Amino acid sequence: MSVFFGFIIAVFMTMVLIQPLMRLAVRWHFVDLPDARKVHSAAIPRIGGVAMVIGAMVPVAVWLMPQTQIAAILAGVAIILLFGVWDDRSNLDYRVKFLGQILAVVIVVIYGGISIRYVPFWSANALPDYLAIPITVFALLGITNAINLADGLDGLAGGTTLLSLGMIAILAYMVDGTSVVLIAVSVMGSILGFLRYNTYPARIFMGDGGSQFLGFSVGVLVILLTQQVNPMLSPSIALMLLGLPVLDTVMVIGQRVYEKRSAFSPDKNHIHHKLLALAFTHYEAVFLIYLVQSLFVLGAYFLRYQPDGLVVSVYLLLCAAVMVLFRVANLLGWRMHVQKEVPSRLSIERWLAWLRQDDRLLKAVFYFTVSVIAVFLVLGALLVAHVSQDIAWLAGMLLLVMCLAYFKRRGQPFHTLERAVAYITLAMIVYLAQVAPGVLGDFALLRNVLLGALVLSIAIGFRFSRTDTFSGTTMDYLIIFIALVVPNLPDLHLSQLGGANVGVEVAKLIILFYAIELVLTNTVRRWNIMRWVVSAALLVLVARGALT
């Protein structure tokens, strides 16, 4: 339950904080200006890291304090954020940035007792302090800066780190590493809340404060997972878990040294720059990097108990494949897109254009989608076996938010805060339907039929929308990857949770999320209907929880 609420709180707080921070960014001079190395052409706020850190660390502090190790992690994160935000505002010298990173790392190593005691190709004996401490400091500094350097395209650092954290959470869950699972899931929640605004074209950047926070967090969690939570894991799977950012950093620094330049000098030699040079679009470059990172993290799962030699060999083989493909593409002069003549329009295209201009189809889709969402939310809240008091308390707070927002924004599009409430309400209903279905379980066939119809409705709305507001993004890949791959990993036994197939429940939740997004970006402009539906479901949850 704490993991579920930790994720929800992280998503909610991050999304809520981003809007006011975006408004304050210009006043506080936290703006990323375009230059020759960057791919954006307008000034964009870079203060998203503040929202991410607060969103992720509040659940950690609530459920895991006052453990000494957790206090050390929180202190280290605070220092990383402080120096990162300082750098975002003043463009610090790299030596000052390193000073802040070293201070944060030393705190978690000395005070938190987080260190690398077992290394690949070493004896089974633990390393002594005089070796373990400097190796850990070096590793954490390297990981922190690897993620920082990888933050070059919209959604890139957040998405790749999300994949790494997801696998860390899975491996920790398999051995009851609750603390690591909660921290990883909380950071994932903050990333998803941030990606809502950072997916191309981004409206906000995480800045150095955010990217260093992600690198520091994933580095600490990798060490905790492989050294303390499950020492039986091959320590070299850290390479697979970190994946592409490590390769990118090694390639870039290696090229700078080869060209006799400073290892810290800026350039456009990162993997994402190379993909753009091969005429990949922004969307395609990010998607391809996500895809390769997915291969690395899946490799970590399947090789988790294999010898270090095999793990390192697979990692190097994947890295070599990436480098060879770049080399071959450049030698052959290959480019992803070649300009072609525009074909003449077919009659089918004119027919589709006419459908886009006809309100009747979109109105039908809108009302059907709202009706299905209402059935899932309200009947789900009514028919589940029971509603616990903590769920009822959360529903009560969300209902208060919806009521206040209704009187302030009645008839206007949903505010970010209201969107977050709608998503969380859906998540609560799906969760309750899984762990305590009650009478709702008798309507499984009807629910599946409605879901199938809802998928068709979403597809029609997606295809015939007259705007680009509701369109596919690289964030969709992350969601679909998690939904399809995670429940089917062997030996994971997620189906034991609540006696249900979690993969199916996650798929339902994703379909409902897309349905919510379709309704909230519609051209019918009947947003109050959705407000009433969400509020009614929350009211039912509150009432049932009060009677428990």
Side-chain angles (χ1 to χ4, degrees), residues 98-113:
F98 265 121
L99 176 63
Q101 293 173 3
I102 291 171
L103 182 58
V105 168
V106 167
I107 287 176
V108 298
V109 173
I110 303 299
Y111 183 62

Side-chain angles (χ1 to χ4, degrees), residues 347-358 463-464:
S347 59
I348 184 67
E349 293 176 339
R350 290 196 295 270
W351 181 71
L352 292 176
W354 174 79
L355 281 177
R356 287 194 185 93
Q357 299 301 319
D358 191 346
R463 184 68 181 84
F464 296 108

Side-chain angles (χ1 to χ4, degrees), residues 57-83:
M57 293 298 106
V58 165
V60 174
V62 169
W63 275 287
L64 297 180
M65 285 291 283
Q67 300 176 37
T68 301
Q69 195 170 74
I70 300 302
I73 293 173
L74 291 175
V77 166
I79 293 171
I80 286 288
L81 178 64
L82 176 63
F83 276 81

Side-chain angles (χ1 to χ4, degrees), residues 39 43 64 112 123 129 169 175 235-236 247 258 261 269 287 295 302 309 315 342 369 371 425 434 437 456 474 535 546:
V39 297
L64 297 180
S123 67
D129 285 345
V175 291
S236 56
L247 170 62
Y258 176 78
R261 295 187 291 117
N269 292 321
F287 175 82
L295 296 178
F302 289 106
Y315 178 77
V342 179
T369 305
S371 300
T425 305
Q434 176 188 344
L456 179 61
T474 50
S535 299

Side-chain angles (χ1 to χ4, degrees), residues 314-379:
V314 172
Y315 178 77
L316 294 177
L317 184 63
L318 288 172
C319 292
V322 171
M323 292 187 287
V324 168
L325 287 174
F326 274 123
R327 182 63 176 168
V328 170
N330 284 319
L331 287 175
L332 297 178
W334 179 87
R335 294 296 180 266
M336 180 64 184
H337 296 285
V338 179
Q339 189 172 5
K340 299 178 181 179
E341 294 183 3
V342 179
S344 60
R345 288 192 171 185
L346 302 176
S347 59
I348 184 67
E349 293 176 339
R350 290 196 295 270
W351 181 71
L352 292 176
W354 174 79
L355 281 177
R356 287 194 185 93
Q357 299 301 319
D358 191 346
D359 281 341
R360 289 174 295 183
L361 179 63
L362 288 174
K363 283 183 178 179
V365 167
F366 169 78
Y367 285 113
F368 175 78
T369 305
V370 168
S371 300
V372 174
I373 292 172
V375 168
F376 270 89
L377 285 179
V378 180
L379 289 184

